[in-house]
Amino acid sequence: MAARTMQAARCPTDELSLTNCAVVNEKDLQSGQHVTVKTTPNHKFVFTVKTHHTVAPGSIAFSLPQRKWAGLSIGQEVEVANYNFDKSKQCIGAMTIEIDFLQKKSTDSSPYDSDKMAAEFIQQFNNQGFSVTQQLVFTFCDKLFGLMVKDIEAMDASILRGEPASGKKQKIDIGLMVGNSQVIFEKAESSSLTLVGKAKTKEARQTIINPEWNFEKMGIGGLDREFSDIFRRAFASRVFPPDIVEQMGCKHVKGIMLFGPPGCGKTLMARQIGKMLNAREPKVVNGPEILNKYVGESEANIRKLFADAEDEQKRLGANSGLHIIIFDELDAICKQRGTGASSTGVHDTVVNQLLSKIDGVEQLNNILVIGMTNRPDLIDDALMRPGRFEVKMEISLPDEKGRVQILTIHTNKMRGFNLLAPDVDIKELATETKNYSGAELEGLVRAAQSTAMNRHIKATSTVEVDMEKAEKLQVTRSDFMGSLNNDIKPAFGTNQEDYSNYIMNGIIKWGDPVTHVLDDGMLLVQQTKNSDRTPLVAVLLEGPPHSGKTALAAQIAEDSEFPFIKICSPDKMIGHSEISKCQAIKKVFDDAYKSQLSCVVVDDIERLLDYVPIGPRFSNLVLQALLVLLKKAPPKGRKLLIIGTTSRKDVLQEMEMLDAFSTTIHVPNISTGEQLVDSLELLGSFTDKERASIAHQLKGKRVWIGIKKLLVLIEMSLQMPADYRVTKFLSLLRDEGALNEGDQIRI
């Protein structure tokens, strides 16, 4: 038709305003025709028309969104002309549409399937013309949505001809919707609409990992495996494109529990996770800070921590950023419910409040809660299930490779400024610092630095720094070794003073029996190290009093060179009640489980059990505790050697304790005169002439004396004048025991 002037009118019905068509009288135009509406000399808009009998001839009716888009007012005169689409160039291949709820009050958080939405859209608006920036109303699932056309791409002409796609993409301003057009929905900015499915744009989202982050500069040494495990469990789903995560029905991990010995880097790791993520500054809260003397305030403090995350999720939904909350000393507020003696039950209500916030009815998906504790056994079980603190990670003592990393991190700055002497070997220090935690290694570096600085301080009447020498300050190997031996000792590990007291006179190999004990001991050490089938090896050294069982046990432990060696001895538990004695023994074993290789010497078992033959009486509580601990296998990947000593094998047999040990080794007394003379020669206490005299006296005779008792008798004899020493020694041997049938000295 030739261009004609028509008058703009209001759309007659609500149903027609949802069709995106201009409405005319059937006398003027036919339904399905496309027209251009010229509002000013420079502005033309393309519409598809529908007819309705209520529209006056000569009028053309528009809906409110159409009038808004074209800048039309009621009664305005417009120029209307026919428009024919060039189907080879103007068919819509793909159209991107911005979508939002039409009315803000009708918003909801339920997800809308963009694939179904696209199919519905093509069905409703098939064969209609669309222009870029066009506004329209669309009904889907009984909800009204406001749409705006953002972008139109023409269909590839090759496809229209039935040929393979050429891959060329052509942007157009006006296009015709056809059955195989593709519709892509894009959520309007700041809209709370949730779209799912493939027919939506990949949202330009902020990457969760900070782009400037460098894993090399984290300053966490020895935790590579733990960090990669945390990343895999907690962040892989957050780094992946959200639409794929949605299609998998995957929920993000919302809680990480870090536990392990003090000083191993739990707090450091939590802090670094916060820096690594492109999230808000983490909220760090110490457990005890939550508690408040006023009723209800502790729970309110928990709610305040989550308030920002709740508010943002309500406003932005899935677009909400990540909120990190770090709880240090979590065991202070999340103890097992029902265990507290307090009448207020404040701990229980705090746990309840935390549970409801992390994984309650209105659960938040934009939070990551990191909890840290040295005592995971105290934490309420409900917090540890999946959906809450589901990633449980033990931050244990660093191995040798980890110690190299930690020491390198703490000495990097010194090395950079040439303050570290060339003789400092980090690998040697790592080998020497078995069972040191990260904090203790840092303390070692600090102690070495202090020692080096102290060399350049002149302490006269005033304390001054020798500036000339200070310029040449360097931290040397001897500074580190001095600090290693004197200043910093590992909390978990080998306390040399512990067992060096037991072997201060060395091991006197007076005969084959001693060599056999040490050889068997080393075999058990090798078994513990190398066998995967027996992570727990328990051996009992039994023999008469004073035969040197404890010294041999301490020697085997020292020769093992295990990173953790502890002696569980009755002299540390004098005056302890039965319960506190059980707890002390259990603590030794618990500490041993934290190390890769451990050796525990349980010395003088009958004394630990409070056994006395009169009565007889013993502590059944300690016995049962020891029986359990001797049989309890260490955690996976850990190995434990237990060496027990006793002078009363018969008593342990009656208590059914011998079965708890894998094997028993007998430690005998010196039983012949020749063995005794060999002992004297090894000790070098008497002269050759004196030894010959003693050997002559004891030749062919049998004796029975423990090496420990022999040492005491020798030392007593040596206090006498030289001429009387041999006589005194033989006299003491006889006095200690009794002659048996004229030739056997029994001591």
Side-chain angles (χ1 to χ4, degrees):
M1 77 170 190
R4 55 181 285 193
T5 303
M6 296 182 82
Q7 206 169 36
R10 190 179 277 111
C11 193
T13 68
D14 287 347
E15 289 77 16
L16 284 169
S17 65
L18 295 175
T19 61
N20 191 38
C21 290
V23 188
V24 293
N25 192 287
E26 62 262 20
K27 290 176 185 170
D28 291 329
L29 293 162
Q30 289 178 351
S31 210
Q33 263 185 277
H34 309 295
V35 295
T36 57
V37 175
K38 193 173 183 183
T39 54
T40 68
N42 298 324
H43 290 92
K44 274 187 190 175
F45 301 91
V46 173
F47 290 98
T48 305
V49 296
K50 267 191 183 304
T51 57
H52 197 265
H53 61 89
T54 57
V55 179
S59 292
I60 181 164
F62 299 99
S63 66
L64 180 62
Q66 289 170 328
R67 296 202 300 273
K68 201 171 164 187
W69 171 52
L72 288 161
S73 53
I74 305 295
Q76 180 181 341
E77 288 193 345
V78 292
E79 196 176 288
V80 180
N82 238 347
Y83 184 85
N84 293 312
F85 280 97
D86 180 347
K87 301 229 173 145
S88 66
K89 293 178 184 172
Q90 286 187 292
C91 286
I92 295 173
M95 182 162 80
T96 306
I97 300 172
E98 193 177 85
I99 182 167
D100 194 5
F101 292 108
L102 187 65
Q103 294 170 311
K104 294 294 177 200
K105 63 182 179 185
S106 68
T107 57
D108 65 22
S109 57
S110 35
Y112 287 92
D113 189 331
S114 58
D115 299 328
K116 289 182 182 172
M117 209 178 250
E120 181 84 19
F121 184 90
I122 291 167
Q123 199 176 340
Q124 278 190 38
F125 303 116
N126 194 16
N127 219 28
Q128 280 197 28
F130 285 92
S131 308
V132 175
T133 72
Q134 183 170 347
Q135 294 178 20
L136 63 149
V137 178
F138 170 54
T139 177
F140 178 75
C141 293
D142 298 327
K143 280 267 183 200
L144 291 175
F145 295 93
L147 311 184
M148 194 267 282
V149 179
K150 276 192 85 172
D151 191 66
I152 301 175
E153 219 171 77
M155 193 172 284
D156 194 334
S158 309
I159 295 173
L160 295 170
R161 292 196 295 270
E163 297 167 8
S166 66
K168 288 180 185 171
K169 291 185 177 176
Q170 176 86 34
K171 300 267 187 192
I172 52 175
D173 291 330
I174 299 168
L176 182 69
M177 176 69 63
V178 289
N180 57 347
S181 297
Q182 186 188 358
V183 176
I184 302 157
F185 289 101
E186 186 177 287
K187 196 168 70 164
E189 200 177 329
S190 79
S191 168
S192 58
L193 174 67
T194 309
L195 288 179
V196 294
K198 292 178 185 168
K200 66 185 180 77
T201 55
K202 307 275 189 293
E203 288 166 18
R205 60 199 185 91
Q206 202 180 17
T207 170
I208 190 166
I209 304 296
N210 192 332
E212 294 170 12
W213 181 253
N214 178 353
F215 283 88
E216 297 292 315
K217 295 178 184 171
M218 286 178 63
I220 303 179
L223 294 174
D224 300 352
R225 184 187 59 78
E226 288 85 347
F227 202 85
S228 61
D229 281 359
I230 287 176
F231 194 88
R232 173 177 60 83
R233 291 294 314 281
F235 302 124
S237 64
R238 294 181 188 272
V239 173
F240 231 70
D243 46 336
I244 297 175
V245 175
E246 270 170 18
Q247 288 160 27
M248 291 175 79
C250 172
K251 282 187 179 174
H252 298 310
V253 163
K254 288 185 280 189
I256 302 172
M257 175 71 69
L258 304 177
F259 65 92
C264 284
K266 298 184 293 295
T267 310
L268 175 64
M269 183 173 266
R271 209 181 292 136
Q272 294 292 7
I273 287 170
K275 282 185 193 168
M276 179 193 82
L277 297 176
N278 219 346
R280 280 142 200 75
E281 190 68 25
K283 291 182 181 175
V284 182
V285 56
N286 287 321
E289 288 174 4
I290 292 291
L291 302 176
N292 193 298
K293 64 181 178 178
Y294 296 109
V295 175
E297 279 299 308
S298 303
E299 297 88 310
N301 288 340
I302 293 278
R303 287 196 292 275
K304 279 175 201 163
L305 289 174
F306 291 87
D308 292 346
E310 279 181 338
D311 179 49
E312 193 167 318
Q313 180 148 313
K314 277 179 191 163
R315 283 189 297 108
L316 303 179
N319 278 354
S320 168
L322 183 64
H323 293 252
I324 300 173
I325 300 166
I326 297 172
F327 282 97
D328 208 355
E329 306 302 338
L330 188 68
D331 50 280
I333 55 167
C334 291
K335 290 188 175 71
Q336 289 279 0
R337 285 173 289 181
T339 56
S342 119
S343 57
T344 59
V346 68
H347 280 99
D348 293 6
T349 54
V350 167
V351 174
N352 294 341
Q353 183 68 73
L354 191 57
L355 286 173
S356 67
K357 283 295 171 196
I358 297 176
D359 187 31
V361 178
E362 291 183 2
Q363 58 181 7
L364 299 166
N365 208 25
N366 60 344
I367 54 164
L368 179 65
V369 184
I370 304 173
M372 290 168 287
T373 179
N374 302 328
R375 298 290 306 276
D377 50 307
L378 296 179
I379 306 287
D380 191 89
D381 296 339
L383 274 167
M384 305 300 273
R385 74 152 177 78
R388 289 159 188 173
F389 287 103
E390 70 178 89
V391 178
K392 293 175 271 295
M393 184 62 59
E394 182 176 5
I395 309 296
S396 55
L397 296 167
D399 57 11
E400 192 165 322
K401 183 183 159 202
R403 293 196 293 276
V404 168
Q405 287 181 358
I406 294 166
L407 287 164
T408 305
I409 286 164
H410 292 305
T411 55
N412 259 343
K413 208 162 188 180
M414 286 195 288
R415 197 178 290 107
F417 288 99
N418 198 28
L419 294 172
L420 197 66
D423 65 346
V424 176
D425 183 357
I426 296 293
K427 286 186 179 168
E428 181 197 10
L429 287 174
T431 310
E432 292 291 323
T433 49
K434 291 185 179 82
N435 272 37
Y436 274 67
S437 68
E440 285 158 350
L441 290 169
E442 188 183 355
L444 175 69
V445 175
R446 274 202 304 269
Q449 289 166 340
S450 305
T451 309
M453 287 176 192
N454 195 50
R455 281 202 302 275
H456 302 304
I457 293 175
K458 295 184 289 190
T460 50
S461 53
T462 58
V463 176
E464 297 172 8
V465 176
D466 187 338
M467 289 311 290
E468 284 181 30
K469 288 184 181 174
E471 296 293 325
K472 297 170 187 168
L473 170 73
Q474 277 201 322
V475 183
T476 64
R477 177 181 180 275
S478 59
D479 295 327
F480 277 100
M481 289 305 168
S483 303
L484 199 61
N485 296 327
N486 305 318
D487 298 330
I488 308 291
K489 299 284 181 193
F492 301 92
T494 307
N495 189 349
Q496 199 130 10
E497 293 160 12
D498 242 14
Y499 57 78
S500 56
N501 291 336
Y502 296 108
I503 42 177
M504 57 186 173
N505 297 309
I507 298 294
I508 299 129
K509 296 182 182 175
W510 48 261
D512 289 344
V514 180
T515 314
H516 289 325
V517 172
L518 289 171
D519 289 348
D520 287 351
M522 285 319 292
L523 274 177
L524 292 163
V525 166
Q526 292 306 318
Q527 180 187 342
T528 311
K529 269 184 190 171
N530 303 328
S531 170
D532 291 329
R533 293 183 178 180
T534 52
L536 173 67
V537 176
V539 56
L540 179 67
L541 301 187
E542 62 82 20
H546 311 304
S547 56
K549 299 179 294 296
T550 305
L552 286 166
Q555 187 65 49
I556 293 166
E558 185 176 31
D559 290 347
S560 73
E561 295 186 343
F562 281 6
F564 182 97
I565 299 171
K566 269 285 195 304
I567 294 186
C568 179
S569 168
D571 61 6
K572 305 261 176 68
M573 301 180 197
I574 295 169
H576 280 210
S577 68
E578 283 185 300
I579 290 173
S580 64
K581 196 181 275 191
C582 289
Q583 286 170 340
I585 296 168
K586 183 175 182 293
K587 185 174 187 313
V588 170
F589 278 83
D590 283 347
D591 288 351
Y593 297 144
K594 289 169 185 164
S595 179
Q596 304 291 325
L597 273 173
S598 315
C599 177
V600 173
V601 177
V602 185
D603 189 32
D604 213 351
I605 292 173
E606 62 274 19
R607 289 287 72 76
L608 277 174
L609 296 173
D610 298 333
Y611 171 79
V612 283
I614 306 165
R617 74 173 291 277
F618 66 95
S619 165
N620 188 43
L621 207 61
V622 177
L623 171 66
Q624 297 305 328
L626 268 175
L627 284 172
V628 170
L629 292 168
L630 288 171
K631 292 178 181 177
K632 182 185 175 187
K636 193 176 178 185
R638 313 285 160 87
K639 295 181 175 185
L640 175 62
L641 171 64
I642 302 169
I643 306 172
T645 70
T646 182
S647 304
R648 295 301 303 264
K649 182 184 175 186
D650 54 327
V651 173
L652 299 196
Q653 179 77 59
E654 281 185 42
M655 292 176 177
E656 298 183 344
M657 197 175 196
L658 286 188
D659 299 340
F661 290 94
S662 324
T663 183
T664 304
I665 298 174
H666 179 64
V667 181
N669 271 349
I670 294 169
S671 55
T672 69
E674 286 76 12
Q675 288 174 342
L676 195 145
V677 173
D678 287 347
S679 306
L680 296 179
E681 192 174 337
L682 287 166
L683 286 162
S685 305
F686 291 103
T687 64
D688 291 350
K689 188 180 172 185
E690 287 169 337
R691 277 203 303 278
S693 172
I694 294 167
H696 177 70
Q697 293 273 359
L698 297 175
K699 191 173 181 184
K701 294 190 176 181
R702 286 192 296 143
V703 295
W704 187 253
I705 185 167
I707 188 73
K708 203 169 167 185
K709 178 63 70 73
L710 180 63
L711 279 167
V712 174
L713 300 187
I714 291 169
E715 289 303 311
M716 278 178 72
S717 310
L718 294 177
Q719 308 312 309
M720 297 290 288
D723 295 349
Y724 300 100
R725 294 201 307 198
V726 173
T727 316
K728 182 65 180 174
F729 177 66
L730 293 168
S731 160
L732 285 169
L733 280 179
R734 288 190 180 90
D735 291 349
E736 278 295 327
L739 290 170
N740 189 4
E741 295 178 7
D743 75 341
Q744 185 180 0
I745 299 174
R746 189 160 184 80
I747 305 280

